Amino acid sequence: MSVKKVHDNQPKEFKFSDENLRKVEEILKRYPEKNKKSAVMPLLYLAQRQNDNWIPLAAMRYIANFLAMPYISVYEVATFYTMYNLAPVGKHFIQVCTTTPCLLRGADKIVKLCKENISPNENEISKKGNCSWMEVECLGACVSAPMVQINDDYYEDLDEKSTKEILTSLINDKPLKPGSYRGRKNTSPEKILISNGEKHA
Amino acid sequence: MPKITINGKEIEFEKGMTVLQACELADVEIPRFCYHEKLSIAGNCRMCLVEMDKSPKPIASCAMPAAEGMNIKTNTALVEKARKGVMEFLLANHPLDCPVCDQGGECDLQDQSLYYGVDKSRFVENKRDVKEKYMGPLIKTQMTRCIHCTRCVRFATEVAGVPEIGAIGRGENMEITTYLEKSMESELSANVIDLCPVGALTSKPYAFEARPWELKKTESVDVMDAVGSNIRVDTYNWEVKRILPRLNNEINEEWISDKTRYSCDGLLKQRLDVPYIKKNNKLQKSSWDEAINLLVDKINSVQPNEIAGHIGDMINMENALSFKKFFKSLKSENLEFREKNFYINSDEKMNYIFNSSISGIEDADLILLVGTNPRHEASILNARIRKTFVQKKIPIFSIGNPGDLTYGYEIIGDSTEDIKKIVNKEHDFSQKLLSAKKPIIIIGESALELKSGGYIFEELKKFLIKNNLINENWNGLNILAQNASTVGLLDLKILQGKNAKSSSFFNDLRNRKFKLLYLLGSDNLELKKNDEFIIYQGSHGDRGAEIADLILPSATYTEQNGLYENLEGRIQECKKASYPIGEALEDWKIFNRIIKKLGFKDRIANFDELRKEVLETVPNFLEINELPKKSVIKTNNVETSFYKEKIFARELDYYYTNSISRSSKTMSECRQIRQKIKKNGTNN
């Protein structure tokens, strides 16, 4: 990981949509007027949502003016947090968890598949233009390791075969369903186990 | 007062002090990188760790408030180990490039690793490498050396008031940069170079010029504006290599403006080294004898009242006095030093100085700017206004729109009518002014240049006196002089006779009454040359030399001793750091030569006597480096006339205000960038 670079091609302008402006109003209500710059993080998130999952410089400036902050302060926040994307990502944005539990369960194989099927490097848009991937730190789903997050959904209990299927479906723009790929329901035990005389589903 | 024990010694400290400050009181040295007296506390370098009783871990002394009964130890094994540990971490990613680093010899990290560090490294991993960042023409960056103390970030945000530097990324990838690597848009930007404890931010124009121990250091004062910032001039042989600030809490604290710091390369260029005489419409090298003979012939061929003299913006008081004496022997009264005809009431000293003093700004509870842009006219003074604004949230108002001043202010009008309303208590602002206890009014030269300049000054003065806002304890009526020489020359009564009250010099100049015009270092006088004979005596081939028929080379402010009076009326000594180039001479010596040739007897015996006479002439003088004696301003009814005029702050070409800065390459680079920014809107 290195410091996040802003993208070369930046849109000239950014404005919150009417719907998001209503949300912004709600967000600003959470903070006292004199501390309104505390809203910078939710606002950046909102901007990322509105702008195809990445934040252009125009949006940072827009938010800075909105909250009466210096540009550099917003820029500092946006570069500090890894979950703000400062360059365009694919329509299907795959975040592969490579923290210890996932790695022990074979996350490196998923990374390899991503390299082969999507793009040789992280944060590169695939040839067809609809996917990109990156390695991330723990996504908090160790119980169903290894796993990936694709846009807002978790795909869990993966192996090479299921990963390949998922990636192919994404490349063809027909994404498979999220959830466990070993037939688990939520995070329940895989086989019916009896302990303490009780039956677990 | 509460007491604290430091290394077994009990000392008293003031409430609100930190442990580090208390240690300083006890003469115990604490190493530090991020802590700086004039900046907010960050506490991120961890170098100042000390041991405190009842604390399981060492504490960061810079961020820990001192409290009654604390027992601090700084000489224990634990502290030594902590310092060594911190130092090892700081050096983990710091390159070992001291031999090619410009900070070498004056580097905090170098010094402190010598005293507190370990002698070897256990770090075998790869060191990180950070790309250089562009920060404008003044600051050279080598960001791999950065230890992330964030002094520069805090300076830009807090003191300079231009939040453009920040830390991006996180953890090992944290980098200090300006927003999108633009140059910093501040007149104080280069102070981050002094603040940087390592060689990450160094001086671009001074890069690889010299090592600090090779330079001769002379403590002097600055003449780029009327603030009189205290500086240290570093010279290598004849050459002025760099100019650094000197701590003076009364004036510039620890900062100097970029113009003060970087005009010094102008001292090397465009210099006049020998006398020049215009022959066949071309300036040709000549000798002193020939030049003085020509000058004496010219003087003898005109009437005394056809001779006029104009004194420039950087002339010291001794030279000005000798010029005045020279003119007295010529029997001419046509002396002037103002570049534009602004109103000045020279009856009393309190009428033309910055009465509340620069450090006194911090006591103010309201500030009114009248036709002035202190950011450009006196950057250091503006920093003080900003400091007061940030600390005390005082309301600031302006008549006329000076643009971005780095602090918030309210524009309450833009014409002389508003002044009229204020003094007649018809303006909303009048009440605010009357309810203030220590108001400050700063009147700029732009306002005094107006036809109703006299009205503005005298009426505001009357208003303040009438309402007891000028009294023995407080005088908030301030004139913001722009040139280093202005106040001193007023004290020397350069404006005399009919000139003192009227604008006869400017009228006569316009009506071409003068046949012989003597410009003493004067480059900013607006003047269309006709058939008068112009003598330019100065150091640089600038605007004055361009129109001159005879050029006499003289010394710059770094090449001679001299007194300057800053806008507060404080007399300070500018010291000789170098010597004049070529055949150039100090101004008073040149006058002596001319006087001798003219056959007059009143020559100046020596410099010391000249200085003595200067100090005797100055009214309200107490001591060098001190403020003048305060006297309560008198109300003398001066007839002034009111005109309906617009009040504005005349735009100043900040990087190009005098002959030295106009000759400086660095200044013209800064100016180009400033103009580009202006053309393209803001940075963004």
Side-chain angles (χ1 to χ4, degrees):
Chain A
M1 211 183 79
S2 62
V3 79
K4 288 195 282 181
K5 291 273 141 48
V6 291
H7 194 55
D8 293 337
N9 289 327
Q10 291 281 345
K12 278 237 164 63
E13 265 187 59
F14 176 89
K15 245 187 186 150
F16 277 136
S17 63
D18 289 346
E19 193 201 339
N20 277 344
L21 274 175
R22 274 192 296 280
K23 284 188 192 166
V24 169
E25 246 171 64
E26 284 300 309
I27 292 168
L28 285 176
K29 276 184 201 161
R30 294 181 210 157
Y31 310 99
E33 172 65 24
K34 67 176 180 14
N35 293 346
K36 68 176 176 184
K37 63 182 173 191
S38 304
V40 66
M41 289 189 61
L43 258 54
L44 279 170
Y45 178 67
L46 217 55
Q48 173 157 311
R49 286 256 141 184
Q50 187 184 314
N51 191 61
D52 301 329
N53 216 358
W54 73 287
I55 307 170
L57 279 175
M60 291 184 218
R61 287 198 294 270
Y62 178 75
I63 290 169
N65 292 333
F66 210 96
L67 302 175
M69 289 167 79
Y71 293 161
I72 182 82
S73 307
V74 180
Y75 188 58
E76 279 177 323
V77 174
T79 51
F80 184 88
Y81 292 99
T82 52
M83 285 164 84
Y84 293 127
N85 302 318
L86 302 189
V89 294
K91 182 181 151 201
H92 307 292
F93 179 47
I94 305 153
Q95 301 177 65
V96 186
C97 173
T98 53
T99 306
T100 321
C102 282
L103 196 64
L104 288 171
R105 299 277 289 158
D108 51 336
K109 288 173 194 149
I110 301 177
V111 169
K112 203 176 146 218
L113 283 168
C114 285
K115 283 185 181 167
E116 283 165 7
N117 290 291
I118 298 172
S119 59
N121 293 311
E122 274 187 287
N123 297 318
E124 258 175 27
I125 308 268
S126 64
K127 269 187 199 151
K128 281 200 174 173
N130 59 355
C131 296
S132 72
W133 68 279
M134 73 182 283
E135 284 182 37
V136 294
E137 299 304 325
C138 186
L139 289 168
C142 314
V143 70
S144 31
M147 57 79 65
V148 299
Q149 181 184 353
I150 298 167
N151 294 345
D152 291 339
D153 299 316
Y154 278 14
Y155 292 70
E156 302 163 323
D157 294 329
L158 303 174
D159 53 21
E160 275 175 275
K161 190 171 153 256
S162 51
T163 309
K164 194 147 193 189
E165 277 168 21
I166 294 167
L167 293 183
T168 319
S169 75
L170 293 175
I171 292 164
N172 297 328
D173 238 352
K174 286 176 194 145
L176 291 169
K177 267 192 189 158
S180 169
Y181 273 71
R182 264 197 329 258
R184 280 205 299 173
K185 194 175 171 231
N186 298 335
T187 54
S188 61
E190 259 178 280
K191 290 164 200 158
I192 293 170
L193 291 175
I194 297 166
S195 66
N196 294 344
E198 280 178 44
K199 237 184 179 182
H200 287 267
Chain B
M1 279 209 290
K3 281 180 184 151
I4 187 168
T5 314
I6 291 161
N7 294 342
K9 202 172 99 187
E10 202 175 57
I11 58 147
E12 288 186 337
F13 66 94
E14 266 171 57
K15 230 181 148 194
M17 276 184 158
T18 62
V19 172
L20 190 145
Q21 284 166 328
C23 287
E24 274 177 354
L25 279 186
D27 285 332
V28 171
E29 197 188 306
I30 306 279
R32 85 286 299 267
F33 292 110
C34 71
Y35 175 80
H36 191 276
E37 272 166 41
K38 305 277 185 227
L39 303 174
S40 67
I41 292 165
N44 52 12
C45 76
R46 317 308 289 179
M47 194 62 208
C48 62
L49 294 176
V50 295
E51 193 180 340
M52 184 174 76
D53 260 14
K54 291 176 199 134
S55 163
K57 295 188 286 182
I59 55 157
S61 61
C62 74
M64 174 69 80
E68 171 75 50
M70 268 184 177
N71 188 7
I72 303 290
K73 285 177 211 134
T74 68
N75 48 9
T76 57
L78 178 89
V79 174
E80 197 189 334
K81 195 181 167 198
R83 284 173 182 168
K84 279 196 170 149
V86 169
M87 189 56 107
E88 199 173 0
F89 272 122
L90 288 175
L91 292 175
N93 269 323
H94 191 81
L96 256 180
D97 60 353
C98 302
V100 293
C101 176
D102 252 336
Q103 193 82 355
E106 48 187 3
C107 173
D108 288 356
L109 190 65
Q110 205 177 29
D111 296 349
Q112 291 181 29
S113 65
L114 180 68
Y115 290 108
Y116 307 107
V118 272
D119 53 359
K120 52 186 171 287
S121 172
R122 293 181 287 173
F123 188 74
V124 291
E125 286 80 12
N126 286 334
K127 291 200 177 206
R128 78 181 198 138
D129 178 55
V130 186
K131 239 183 73 194
E132 273 179 35
K133 303 274 186 297
Y134 177 77
M135 283 200 190
L138 303 176
I139 305 164
K140 188 188 162 198
T141 64
Q142 180 72 258
M143 298 318 279
T144 309
R145 295 175 187 152
C146 178
I147 57 166
H148 301 156
C149 67
T150 67
R151 275 187 189 178
C152 51
V153 179
R154 281 174 283 148
F155 175 82
T157 321
E158 291 161 15
V159 180
V162 283
E164 286 171 12
I165 305 186
I168 59 165
R170 64 193 291 176
E172 206 204 354
N173 303 302
M174 181 169 149
E175 292 180 8
I176 301 285
T177 179
T178 48
Y179 180 67
L180 302 181
E181 297 192 33
K182 298 277 161 53
S183 68
M184 200 172 149
E185 219 183 307
S186 166
E187 289 73 29
L188 302 172
S189 66
N191 287 302
V192 297
I193 298 167
D194 293 338
L195 284 173
C196 188
V198 296
L201 307 177
T202 51
S203 171
K204 212 178 232 178
Y206 172 71
F208 308 128
E209 286 284 331
R211 283 300 192 187
W213 57 85
E214 299 173 319
L215 299 169
K216 191 186 103 188
K217 298 154 186 89
T218 314
E219 301 199 332
S220 188
V221 292
D222 171 56
V223 300
M224 294 296 136
D225 53 30
V227 174
S229 301
N230 286 202
I231 54 169
R232 196 185 88 192
V233 182
D234 283 8
T235 45
Y236 188 88
N237 292 338
W238 171 75
E239 221 175 300
V240 175
K241 283 288 184 191
R242 61 172 179 177
I243 286 173
L244 295 176
R246 209 153 39 97
L247 178 70
N248 186 339
N249 283 326
E250 299 281 296
I251 303 175
N252 55 319
E253 300 188 89
E254 265 176 65
W255 327 121
I256 51 171
S257 67
D258 290 351
K259 188 160 61 177
T260 302
R261 189 185 299 260
Y262 284 122
S263 288
C264 63
D265 64 338
L267 295 169
L268 315 175
K269 296 199 180 72
Q270 300 277 344
R271 288 300 299 271
L272 303 169
D273 50 354
V274 290
Y276 286 83
I277 295 174
K278 194 171 248 174
K279 289 174 188 159
N280 307 326
N281 226 4
K282 232 178 154 182
L283 283 167
Q284 283 171 5
K285 280 191 183 184
S286 158
S287 68
W288 274 110
D289 285 342
E290 195 186 351
I292 288 179
N293 281 338
L294 175 71
L295 178 57
V296 167
D297 286 350
K298 287 283 172 190
I299 288 172
N300 288 332
S301 69
V302 292
Q303 297 297 314
N305 62 2
E306 289 170 335
I307 303 175
H310 193 267
I311 306 180
D313 49 349
M314 297 183 292
I315 299 298
N316 64 36
M317 294 171 81
E318 287 91 343
N319 285 335
L321 184 69
S322 61
F323 192 55
K324 187 185 167 191
K325 292 170 99 166
F326 169 56
F327 261 63
K328 205 176 159 199
S329 16
L330 293 178
K331 298 190 178 60
S332 163
E333 276 191 350
N334 302 317
L335 265 184
E336 181 57 83
F337 64 88
R338 291 173 288 183
E339 288 158 3
K340 297 222 164 51
N341 182 21
F342 58 83
Y343 174 82
I344 213 84
N345 180 345
S346 55
D347 292 346
E348 251 186 298
K349 187 156 183 162
M350 302 300 144
N351 280 332
Y352 51 81
I353 62 172
F354 200 93
N355 286 300
S356 51
S357 84
I358 296 174
S359 58
I361 293 175
E362 289 181 35
D363 299 329
D365 54 1
L366 180 144
I367 295 177
L368 172 67
L369 308 170
V370 182
T372 179
N373 176 351
R375 182 174 175 180
H376 285 171
E377 291 166 21
S379 315
I380 296 295
L381 189 136
N382 196 54
R384 192 71 80 131
I385 299 179
R386 181 182 152 77
K387 185 180 175 191
T388 315
F389 174 78
V390 171
Q391 283 179 355
K392 287 171 60 184
K393 303 264 173 300
I394 54 162
I396 299 175
F397 304 91
S398 172
I399 294 180
N401 181 4
D404 182 10
L405 294 179
T406 71
Y407 43 81
Y409 63 93
E410 193 188 321
I411 297 173
I412 52 164
D414 65 347
S415 84
T416 48
E417 300 250 290
D418 293 298
I419 300 277
K420 196 174 195 173
K421 277 189 201 158
I422 289 171
V423 296
N424 292 332
K425 299 191 189 175
E426 285 160 6
H427 202 284
D428 299 338
F429 175 73
S430 309
Q431 212 39 54
K432 289 180 194 159
L433 184 60
L434 288 175
S435 56
K437 288 199 177 63
K438 290 183 166 183
I440 279 183
I441 296 180
I442 302 175
I443 305 174
E445 286 183 7
S446 309
L448 298 172
E449 273 163 31
L450 299 174
K451 273 189 279 177
S452 29
Y455 178 87
I456 295 173
F457 176 76
E458 298 296 344
E459 288 301 312
L460 282 173
K461 180 170 117 183
K462 252 186 250 167
F463 180 79
L464 289 178
I465 293 174
K466 206 166 71 191
N467 295 296
N468 198 30
L469 289 170
I470 292 181
N471 48 47
E472 278 149 26
N473 302 321
W474 185 254
N475 184 347
L477 182 68
N478 300 309
I479 301 283
L480 187 67
Q482 289 184 10
N483 292 339
S485 62
T486 305
V487 176
L489 299 182
L490 279 164
D491 271 353
L492 293 177
K493 303 259 180 299
I494 296 294
L495 299 182
Q496 52 186 346
K498 57 184 178 150
N499 241 333
K501 285 276 173 319
S502 70
S503 53
S504 64
F505 179 90
F506 293 95
N507 290 336
D508 291 350
L509 190 69
R510 211 174 305 123
N511 299 333
R512 317 223 168 274
K513 285 218 175 118
F514 303 135
K515 295 219 168 107
L516 190 122
L517 186 58
Y518 204 128
L519 300 176
L520 178 61
S522 165
D523 290 287
N524 294 338
L525 183 65
E526 267 173 40
L527 162 82
K528 278 205 188 88
K529 187 176 158 64
N530 212 13
D531 53 357
E532 60 269 76
F533 187 78
I534 297 180
I535 301 130
Y536 176 75
Q537 178 173 324
S539 54
H540 283 75
D542 196 50
R543 292 175 189 169
E546 224 165 73
I547 50 169
D549 298 290
L550 173 64
I551 294 175
L552 304 175
S554 71
T556 63
Y557 73 106
T558 53
E559 292 158 6
Q560 56 186 333
N561 291 318
L563 297 175
Y564 286 92
E565 196 167 342
N566 80 348
L567 45 75
E568 305 165 288
R570 189 195 301 269
I571 293 187
Q572 300 185 101
E573 196 183 359
C574 185
K575 295 235 177 71
K576 181 172 174 153
S578 174
Y579 42 87
I581 186 178
E583 294 177 24
L585 289 172
E586 280 103 326
D587 293 305
W588 65 275
K589 286 185 184 159
I590 300 176
F591 302 135
N592 259 359
R593 287 191 177 195
I594 301 168
I595 290 168
K596 188 181 169 196
K597 194 84 198 167
L598 280 166
F600 297 142
K601 288 217 170 68
D602 32 8
R603 282 170 63 195
I604 294 143
N606 60 41
F607 187 76
D608 291 340
E609 245 159 67
L610 190 59
R611 172 163 292 181
K612 216 173 118 200
E613 198 177 337
V614 166
L615 294 177
E616 277 161 7
T617 319
V618 172
N620 295 29
F621 173 72
L622 285 177
E623 232 174 297
I624 282 190
N625 294 336
E626 293 299 322
L627 285 174
K629 192 167 69 202
K630 274 187 189 152
S631 54
V632 178
I633 206 162
K634 279 177 267 172
T635 29
N636 38 1
N637 265 330
V638 183
E639 280 297 312
T640 54
S641 35
F642 175 82
Y643 300 88
K644 198 176 158 189
E645 281 171 295
K646 208 169 158 330
I647 298 180
F648 59 95
R650 183 158 46 81
E651 190 110 351
L652 207 63
D653 197 349
Y654 174 74
Y655 294 107
Y656 255 35
T657 48
N658 55 42
S659 59
I660 298 178
S661 57
R662 278 192 289 265
S663 309
S664 157
K665 199 179 136 233
T666 319
M667 286 295 104
S668 57
E669 270 172 41
C670 290
R671 181 167 173 259
Q672 265 172 15
I673 287 170
R674 179 64 62 91
Q675 281 171 340
K676 218 186 273 169
I677 290 170
K678 221 176 245 171
K679 214 167 76 192
N680 306 342
T682 57
N683 249 344
N684 310 292

